[in-house]
Amino acid sequence: MEKYLIVANWKMNPKAAKEALALFEAVKEGTKSAKNVEAVICPPFVWLPKLKAGGRVKLGAQNCHWEMQGAYTGEVSALMLADLGAKYVIVGHSERRQYLGENDELIGFKIKAVLKAELKPILCVGEKEGEEINLVIEEQLTRDLSGLSVNQMKQIVIAYEPIWAISTSDGLGACSPDSALSAALFIRRILTKLYSRFLADKIPILYGGSVNAQNAADYVFKAQVDGFLVGGASLEAEEFIKIVKNIGET
Ligand code: PGA
């Protein structure tokens, strides 16, 4: 891939607009000189209008509805996100699958809505502790990407996030680079089966799950991923800046 893609998933953080702005501006400033990387910050919807992309930093969102507008109380559409300057939308994060009941059919609809709004979907796939990884990944990819054309697929980013490796304290529970490598290779194999080798090689595959400034380089070298989806470590400006700068320089 031309550039590493480092995506910050702020989840439901921080608590106040002032903190969100301070964190965003610190990352924007701190990553200005970073090379070969694109950073995307996905804050809660409500902070989006306050944040202005610039430097190496683009904006993204953590979710959207599958329709563009209408009677869907409490929801936000991809079109609205595009209007606020978002370029990416995370779809199918395991926390939404787990706590909000999102299934593959719904996730497929959301991916199509994101594409319709001319944004890039970041599709999260990954197994729970004890699940058969290949079975889960093949099923999720096949169902979530069903019906997409080759041109639509060119806009997709896949994030491999083993659920058991998310939010473990100090990164110690992160997946080993070897396991992340076999997952990434398997994802490319499934994409080849569903589309073609040519296309599969062009789709960025990110790793997510307890990534921090210490372990990030290992994933790039040993797991050959094209970037990261970073949760906890993206809430610390210094830590996230280090991830972005160090990866760009590897
Ligand atoms: P984590 O979260 O980096 O805190 O493990 C990653 C994610 O859930 O996207």
Side-chain angles (χ1 to χ4, degrees), residues 62 64 89-93 97 107 110-111 114 121-124:
Q62 301 169 21
C64 69
V89 183
I90 298 171
V91 182
H93 190 279
R97 292 181 192 255
I107 290 163
K110 289 187 178 201
I111 291 176
V114 173
I122 301 169
L123 169 64
C124 300

Side-chain angles (χ1 to χ4, degrees), residues 58-93:
K58 292 197 166 141
L59 283 170
Q62 301 169 21
N63 174 43
C64 69
H65 194 262
W66 64 86
E67 292 290 350
M68 292 300 154
Q69 67 175 103
Y72 298 100
T73 304
E75 292 293 324
V76 171
S77 79
L79 216 49
M80 295 168 184
L81 297 170
D83 189 55
L84 291 178
K87 301 290 177 211
Y88 292 82
V89 183
I90 298 171
V91 182
H93 190 279

Side-chain angles (χ1 to χ4, degrees), residues 46-66:
V46 286
W47 308 144
L48 268 174
K50 306 204 170 280
L51 311 177
K52 296 282 160 276
R56 293 282 168 273
V57 180
K58 292 197 166 141
L59 283 170
Q62 301 169 21
N63 174 43
C64 69
H65 194 262
W66 64 86

Side-chain angles (χ1 to χ4, degrees), residues 9 11 93-95 161 165-168 208-211 229-233:
N9 176 10
K11 307 193 180 183
H93 190 279
S94 58
E95 285 152 14
E161 295 211 307
I166 292 177
S167 302
T168 68
S210 301
V211 171
L229 183 51
V230 187

Side-chain angles (χ1 to χ4, degrees), residues 103-152:
N103 60 26
D104 292 308
E105 189 183 21
L106 191 82
I107 290 163
F109 291 150
K110 289 187 178 201
I111 291 176
K112 292 192 178 84
V114 173
L115 291 166
K116 200 165 160 189
E118 298 187 6
L119 304 179
K120 289 178 185 248
I122 301 169
L123 169 64
C124 300
V125 297
E127 79 288 2
K128 293 193 189 105
E129 179 97 70
E131 278 184 335
E132 170 52 57
I133 167 172
N134 288 4
L135 274 181
V136 172
I137 290 182
E138 178 161 11
E139 193 170 289
Q140 289 178 338
L141 289 175
T142 308
R143 291 187 177 167
D144 300 347
L145 301 173
S146 134
L148 297 186
S149 69
V150 168
N151 275 341
Q152 286 176 314

